[in-house]
Amino acid sequence: MINVLDSVLESTGQPPLAERMHEAFSERGPFAKSKDFEFRPQQQRMAELVAEALEKKRPLVVEAATGVGKSLAYLLPAVTHALEAERKAIICTHTINLQEQLINKDIPIVKKIVGEFKAELLKGRGNYLCPTRLQRAFHDTPDLFTSTEVADMKLILDWAGKTKDGTLSDMDFTPSMKVWSLVCSEAHACTPRKCGPGSGCFYQAARRRMAEADVVILNHTLFFTLLNSVDEELLPDDANFLFPRDFVIVDEAHTIESIAAKQLGLHVSESSIRFDLGRLYNPKTRKGFLAYVKDDNGIREVQQCLEEVENFFRAIEGSSNFQGWAKEFRVREPDLVDNSLSLPLKRVADAVLKASDKADKESTKTELNDLAKRIVSHRATVEAFLEQSEDDHVYWVEKGGSDQRTMSLHSAPIDVAPKLEEIFFGGGKPCVFTSATLGIGSDEQLGYFRKRVGANRASAAMIDSPFDFSKQMRLYLVKSMPAPATPTYDEALRKWIAHFLDLSRGKAFVLFTNYTSMKQTAEAMEDYFDERGWNLLVQGAGKPRHQLLAEFKDDLHSVLFGTDSFWTGVDVPGESLSNVIITKLPFAMPDHPVTASRLERIEERGGNSFMEYSVPEAILKLRQGVGRLIRSKKDKGICVILDNRVLTKQYGRSFLAAMPDCPVEIVS
């Protein structure tokens, strides 16, 4: 059977897509007309591989090191294939920064090459304002909102008349969670029928644009959310993932295992149940939908259920033996506590449905029905958690909130590879997984990553960076650094951080694996920074991540202390970042239930969990951290590893083998 692309090629006489990508990224190709173009054979090779994978409907896993220019290397073949084969390209990323780069920078470049096409950025529906719900809520304010919440509503109304984007990110203020929950798009209250063309609904307008788009950009979490909500019976036969005739490019694929584990598991929290019950009736304010419809029976059921929520989660808290500083408690057996919450939740749901039947406004019926479904969902999740109904899942309780007494219940699959293989790598679905860090050094075929995500049948490639690390970067290793558990560690850590900061005159990221250690080190080094007049920026000290980065870039000698989120997805080219200090090898905490269960699974099968999982995962994280340093051909700088295990332990060779090929200096 001749597919659409074959017929296109026959009618146009064009060569295979891979050949055309070779030409497009050549020194004579269309990109070369731009004064900013720099010929990179690595980028050219990646574009060929992506084109071949899409054309032949074969899955591909490709590591493209920093500097390759992977975004354009997959965008041009993806867009060309989408247009010629009349398919939809789904570009799936982890970070907002990359999504914005694709939409604002890379796609306009591709349009200059292939002509006009439709590309849309899709956010989770809870980010979009639904004007229909906004009008309903505003007219019902007397029994739904306090005076403070009414003020919030007026701000949203004013903003709604000005915004073109219609999403939370376009706001210059932060509305209360309760108010926004009643005006944003929700599955049952905001539908194509209720919010059709002309309604001004931002989410439904986005959905219509998605249907017409050639390229859809979204994040990993939303991809799995949409995948779980797709009704397979209603999907056309030619759908691969989310849309008819689509294919997927997964960028920042090094995060896909952890995102998938989270999205494919169970999650319900004390606060989320209280929040939805509070939308029905809040005993303190005496506001809510049940107050609005004057349903006294429903109000009583909510009040009784709120009491049982308190009893149930205090029982959960009392049965969870949190060790030391741990915020997670692994639950190994079903029925951690008696399910005293199921019946009260059922009674609330039943009462809400009865109230809906009596409501005189269709909009009120819709809102009540939606809340009833949420209560039913909470009940089902609590039951599934207590019964541990999912095989091969790990279950745990987590504590949070300002007083560390807000409980939440979670589960995650121990091994996501079978499910990811089913989703992405079975049945000839065209998809590409890519990232700057997928390999663990000597692993040329990316075997470790492919095994973790079920991509054993996918072809694999590693594309080196065009940067000359031998001239751009120097790696320092401190042999005399004491072990973290020893009494002299903290003093030595501060000493060596100061030593290498003096070497680069600030301009550094100092990356920690532990928030407490970072905070204590920052406090102890305040005088050091004051003496030098350098601005010390500390993650978690009140400023959001994007503001810390902006200040770091603007202040040439500033130093940023960061933990997990600064190891990856941060791009600071130029002199501002001339030094990356790794305080400790980034081994995952072995006591987190997900990590512990994966280690146990390897040991049960007769493997060495430390070498087969802990070390490879730490290598990938270290490569991400080190990768913050050199972001362009003009960048120069130093990287420091303040963990002598890379020199004293046999596995340290694996870490060093995964580092860029640059001069190494060992400091005693």
Side-chain angles (χ1 to χ4, degrees):
M1 182 177 177
I2 299 176
N3 64 28
V4 174
L5 182 58
D6 291 332
S7 62
V8 168
L9 296 179
E10 285 181 5
S11 62
T12 62
Q14 293 188 88
L17 186 59
E19 289 186 22
R20 286 182 280 152
M21 291 303 105
H22 179 89
E23 179 63 25
F25 286 91
S26 72
E27 295 172 283
R28 306 175 305 279
F31 283 113
K33 297 176 183 178
S34 169
K35 60 181 177 62
D36 298 322
F37 175 74
E38 180 182 321
F39 171 64
R40 286 169 280 187
Q42 298 89 346
Q43 186 181 45
Q44 185 184 53
R45 178 58 182 151
M46 180 176 174
E48 293 171 11
L49 290 170
V50 172
E52 186 176 6
L54 296 178
E55 208 166 42
K56 296 183 178 180
K57 297 183 180 179
R58 294 176 180 170
L60 169 69
V61 176
V62 55
E63 176 181 287
T66 305
V68 166
K70 62 181 169 63
S71 300
L72 287 176
Y74 64 67
L75 269 180
L76 185 62
V79 170
T80 305
H81 182 62
L83 296 176
E84 292 180 349
E86 297 181 352
R87 291 186 175 274
K88 193 184 297 289
I90 301 175
I91 312 296
C92 190
T93 82
H94 180 56
T95 61
I96 294 173
N97 288 345
L98 181 53
Q99 293 171 36
E100 292 177 345
Q101 175 194 314
L102 292 170
I103 281 288
N104 299 323
K105 178 183 175 185
D106 296 328
I107 283 177
I109 293 173
V110 174
K111 285 183 176 181
K112 292 180 181 179
I113 306 298
V114 303
E116 193 60 36
F117 60 89
K118 295 179 180 178
E120 295 289 343
L121 173 61
L122 182 63
K123 302 176 184 180
R125 72 183 303 152
N127 286 279
Y128 292 88
L129 174 71
C130 174
T132 304
R133 293 191 78 212
L134 174 62
Q135 290 300 324
R136 292 172 188 162
F138 188 71
H139 290 304
D140 295 340
T141 50
D143 288 303
L144 289 180
F145 301 112
T146 64
S147 58
T148 301
E149 290 165 346
V150 170
D152 255 8
M153 184 71 69
K154 290 178 179 177
L155 283 173
I156 295 174
L157 268 172
D158 183 56
W159 167 78
K162 304 172 185 175
T163 180
K164 294 180 180 179
D165 178 66
T167 69
L168 278 169
S169 61
D170 192 45
M171 285 184 170
D172 57 2
F173 62 97
T174 304
S176 79
M177 186 177 173
K178 177 189 173 183
V179 172
W180 182 252
S181 73
L182 290 168
V183 302
C184 68
S185 176
E186 286 188 350
H188 305 291
C190 173
T191 66
R193 182 175 64 83
K194 296 169 183 171
C195 301
S199 68
C201 181
F202 292 97
Y203 178 72
Q204 297 301 334
R207 274 181 59 111
R208 290 190 290 272
R209 292 196 302 271
M210 293 307 120
E212 299 174 357
D214 304 297
V215 178
V216 174
I217 298 170
L218 44 69
N219 68 31
H220 297 164
T221 298
L222 181 56
F223 176 88
F224 285 106
T225 300
L226 294 175
L227 194 71
N228 291 335
S229 66
V230 165
D231 188 337
E232 293 187 4
E233 294 182 2
L234 300 179
L235 271 181
D237 293 336
D238 55 1
N240 288 313
F241 300 100
L242 305 177
F243 301 95
R245 298 179 57 76
D246 60 3
F247 61 89
V248 173
I249 309 287
V250 179
D251 201 345
E252 300 179 307
H254 59 278
T255 65
I256 201 73
E257 182 185 12
S258 61
I259 298 295
K262 184 176 182 180
Q263 294 301 307
L264 297 173
L266 298 171
H267 308 280
V268 65
S269 69
E270 179 179 358
S271 57
S272 64
I273 296 176
R274 287 185 183 279
F275 180 79
D276 284 333
L277 290 172
R279 286 174 60 182
L280 289 166
Y281 182 74
N282 185 325
K284 291 182 179 179
T285 63
R286 299 182 182 180
K287 304 286 185 180
F289 278 104
L290 292 174
Y292 176 66
V293 298
K294 297 179 173 58
D295 188 302
D296 292 338
N297 178 61
I299 289 172
R300 281 194 299 273
E301 293 293 356
V302 168
Q303 289 175 314
Q304 291 172 9
C305 189
L306 283 168
E307 291 178 8
E308 197 50 58
V309 168
E310 174 67 19
N311 295 335
F312 176 79
F313 280 102
R314 296 294 68 77
I316 289 285
E317 181 182 13
S319 300
S320 301
N321 185 17
F322 296 101
Q323 296 292 322
W325 295 98
K327 295 182 179 181
E328 304 87 12
F329 168 69
R330 184 173 176 182
V331 182
R332 295 180 180 271
E333 300 291 338
D335 298 322
L336 175 66
V337 298
D338 290 338
N339 190 357
S340 60
L341 192 54
S342 183
L343 185 57
L345 287 173
K346 182 180 185 302
R347 286 175 174 165
V348 169
D350 291 344
V352 173
L353 289 174
K354 288 180 182 178
S356 170
D357 290 338
K358 296 177 182 178
D360 54 2
K361 287 185 179 180
E362 188 62 33
S363 61
T364 307
K365 290 179 183 288
T366 299
E367 297 289 349
L368 287 169
N369 286 336
D370 184 63
L371 281 165
K373 289 175 181 177
R374 287 175 176 272
I375 299 300
V376 169
S377 176
H378 289 320
R379 179 183 179 226
T381 305
V382 168
E383 288 180 350
F385 176 87
L386 291 176
E387 293 170 5
Q388 300 200 354
S389 57
E390 291 287 343
D391 293 334
D392 294 321
H393 275 226
V394 57
Y395 294 80
W396 73 97
V397 178
E398 200 165 304
K399 62 180 179 179
S402 57
D403 59 357
Q404 294 294 295
R405 293 201 64 198
T406 302
M407 300 293 117
S408 55
L409 314 178
H410 305 266
S411 82
I414 298 171
D415 182 6
V416 299
K419 187 63 177 178
L420 293 184
E421 181 178 16
E422 175 190 331
I423 294 170
F424 293 105
F425 304 109
K429 297 178 181 180
C431 70
V432 176
F433 275 39
T434 186
S435 172
T437 49
L438 297 177
I440 55 173
S442 58
D443 183 16
E444 293 183 2
Q445 295 302 309
L446 304 174
Y448 175 76
F449 174 79
R450 290 162 65 203
K451 180 180 179 182
R452 298 300 311 172
V453 300
N456 292 320
R457 289 182 287 176
S459 57
M462 293 184 71
I463 299 177
D464 292 334
S465 173
F467 299 155
D468 187 350
F469 288 100
S470 65
K471 295 180 180 178
Q472 292 182 256
M473 172 179 161
R474 177 177 289 271
L475 177 63
Y476 288 91
L477 310 174
V478 180
K479 191 173 184 178
S480 62
M481 187 69 195
T486 58
T488 58
Y489 174 77
D490 290 337
E491 182 182 352
L493 181 63
R494 296 191 295 269
K495 166 194 164 184
W496 286 111
I497 289 174
H499 172 81
F500 287 107
L501 288 180
D502 285 340
L503 207 60
S504 62
R505 299 183 65 226
K507 310 173 188 177
F509 273 8
V510 184
L511 300 178
F512 293 79
T513 62
N514 177 281
Y515 178 79
T516 302
S517 175
M518 177 189 71
K519 185 179 178 182
Q520 291 174 348
T521 305
E523 290 173 352
M525 294 187 69
E526 285 180 357
D527 290 344
Y528 166 86
F529 285 99
D530 288 342
E531 288 169 5
R532 285 154 181 76
W534 297 343
N535 187 21
L536 173 60
L537 304 165
V538 183
Q539 183 181 358
K543 294 180 181 178
R545 183 172 180 265
H546 70 273
Q547 187 176 341
L548 288 174
L549 277 174
E551 289 189 29
F552 179 79
K553 291 176 182 179
D554 291 341
D555 188 338
L556 187 59
H557 294 283
S558 61
V559 175
L560 193 152
F561 279 20
T563 55
D564 190 65
S565 65
F566 282 94
W567 286 72
T568 181
V570 177
D571 190 14
V572 186
E575 190 182 356
S576 293
L577 182 54
S578 301
N579 183 0
V580 171
I581 299 175
I582 308 291
T583 57
K584 201 162 87 171
L585 293 179
F587 287 106
M589 291 296 290
D591 54 351
H592 189 284
V594 174
T595 303
S597 65
R598 289 173 178 169
L599 297 176
E600 288 170 9
R601 178 64 58 87
I602 294 171
E603 295 289 340
E604 288 168 1
R605 293 173 177 171
N608 182 326
S609 61
F610 182 73
M611 293 305 299
E612 292 179 31
Y613 183 80
S614 298
V615 168
E617 288 294 312
I619 289 173
L620 289 172
K621 185 72 173 286
L622 179 64
R623 291 189 65 206
Q624 282 284 328
V626 172
R628 300 311 97 211
L629 182 63
I630 304 299
R631 308 300 296 177
S632 75
K633 281 196 171 184
K634 296 179 181 178
D635 286 354
K636 289 186 177 181
I638 64 172
C639 182
V640 183
I641 300 178
L642 296 178
D643 191 327
N644 73 352
R645 287 177 291 182
V646 295
L647 296 170
T648 62
K649 300 292 185 181
Q650 189 171 358
Y651 61 77
R653 298 174 187 173
S654 300
F655 284 90
L656 295 179
M659 292 297 96
D661 186 12
C662 68
V664 178
E665 185 171 328
I666 299 174
V667 182
S668 298

